[in-house]
Amino acid sequence: MNLIYGPVTSLRFGSTLGINLLGEPKVCSFDCLYCHLGPTELTMNKIRKSHEFPSVQRLTAELFDFLKHGHVIDAIVVSGNGEPTLHPAFHEAMKIIVEIRREHLPDKKILVLSNGAHLDSKKVLAGMHLADERIIKIDAGNDSQLDAINRPLIRLNITRFLSDVGKLNDCIVQSLFVDGEVSNVSKEAIEDWIEVVGMAKPKSVQICTMSRPGFTDKIKAVSEDILDEIAHKLKKRTSLECEVFAIKNPQ
């Protein structure tokens, strides 16, 4: 798998240069039920001790190869095959991306999509602050929802998560809602989520539902009407701007 992919047309970000720092297989500290990449099969112990991450030299070479083709893009998105901040050289990789952007794509924003679970690391925090936008996943407003939907593979609770997110200069919250055997759209779940998002103090919020099947039939996408209602409640309670990204006819 290439570390650089695209341009990819994104509903949220336009035409993007995608950066996958992780190579393959999927490398993540969450095992979200809705993940279109499938279940997380690598344990955190294996990721930390024996997984071979792609080198920053390879990243540099692939970035320059991408530039040779003269692709037109709107943004640079660091995401890829799992959780990008798990790369042990995440900070160094971000410095390379920023420098190449400065020289060759000076008007393009760098965005990092993260689950926010590793902001207790000073190097991860420094790498995140090199990006123009930090987009943090918040799908749950309480610990039971976090365990049911995101299924973290590390010790994580909402209190610790909020403490770490508070170390960011700013962030955008990204939230995904599902229904079914596991759901985060009940009245109680939404009330708890609104409280947590308000405590995270993002500059804006993006909400969506599944656009591709997850790896379990326990969950399904929710309607645009439900997302609009959630956005309205969030705005009313917190005054936060909330943008809805929805598929028209979820099954």
Side-chain angles (χ1 to χ4, degrees):
M1 175 179 286
N2 292 336
L3 305 190
I4 306 301
Y5 56 95
V8 175
T9 301
S10 165
L11 191 61
R12 290 181 293 164
F13 312 125
S15 178
T16 67
L17 184 171
I19 298 181
N20 168 33
L21 298 179
L22 306 169
E24 55 183 347
K26 177 184 173 186
V27 177
C28 198
S29 49
F30 279 11
D31 188 22
C32 299
L33 281 178
Y34 57 75
C35 184
H36 70 276
L37 296 174
T40 305
E41 296 181 347
L42 288 181
T43 64
M44 287 304 300
N45 185 59
K46 183 172 179 60
I47 289 170
R48 287 170 173 153
K49 292 186 176 181
S50 60
H51 180 68
E52 187 172 341
F53 287 88
S55 69
V56 292
Q57 290 79 14
R58 178 181 165 192
L59 170 66
T60 303
E62 290 196 21
L63 272 170
F64 277 116
D65 185 65
F66 178 90
L67 291 171
K68 289 178 185 176
H69 295 86
H71 295 299
V72 177
I73 63 166
D74 299 311
I76 301 164
V77 179
V78 182
S79 176
N81 213 22
E83 172 52 40
T85 64
L86 283 174
H87 195 296
F90 173 72
H91 185 208
E92 184 180 353
M94 286 300 297
K95 288 193 287 186
I96 289 169
I97 294 165
V98 168
E99 180 61 23
I100 291 175
R101 184 276 304 271
R102 185 182 68 83
E103 291 290 335
H104 300 278
L105 299 164
D107 60 336
K108 307 306 178 186
K109 282 188 175 183
I110 299 171
L111 305 92
V112 179
L113 276 59
S114 172
N115 61 25
H118 306 283
L119 298 172
D120 55 336
S121 162
K122 290 182 180 179
K123 286 191 174 181
V124 167
L125 200 60
M128 291 290 281
H129 281 141
L130 290 176
D132 298 296
E133 302 284 4
R134 291 147 288 281
I135 302 174
I136 304 297
K137 176 201 302 286
I138 302 181
D139 301 326
N142 57 58
D143 292 339
S144 62
Q145 288 273 295
L146 179 69
D147 290 340
I149 292 173
N150 301 122
R151 307 195 302 177
L153 305 180
I154 58 172
R155 291 184 180 179
L156 184 69
N157 57 44
I158 294 295
T159 300
R160 182 198 137 187
F161 172 81
L162 284 171
S163 175
D164 289 342
V165 169
K167 299 171 186 175
L168 293 173
N169 292 341
D170 58 51
C171 71
I172 295 171
V173 162
Q174 167 189 288
S175 302
L176 187 146
F177 292 95
V178 295
D179 203 358
E181 289 184 41
V182 179
S183 171
N184 59 349
V185 293
S186 69
K187 181 178 179 180
E188 180 183 358
I190 295 303
E191 290 298 315
D192 288 348
W193 173 81
I194 290 173
E195 182 175 358
V196 166
V197 171
M199 292 172 70
K201 299 179 180 178
K203 59 183 184 179
S204 63
V205 180
Q206 301 170 345
I207 65 173
C208 63
T209 188
M210 297 166 60
S211 59
R212 289 175 282 187
F215 60 85
T216 174
D217 58 5
K218 291 182 178 181
I219 55 175
K220 61 183 180 180
V222 300
S223 70
E224 187 172 5
D225 287 344
I226 288 175
L227 295 179
D228 286 339
E229 184 179 351
I230 293 169
H232 176 74
K233 287 180 178 179
L234 178 70
K235 174 82 172 181
K236 185 176 181 180
R237 281 268 302 276
T238 67
S239 298
L240 285 167
E241 294 298 326
C242 185
E243 193 168 4
V244 172
F245 297 89
I247 55 175
K248 295 301 181 183
N249 296 297
Q251 298 300 314

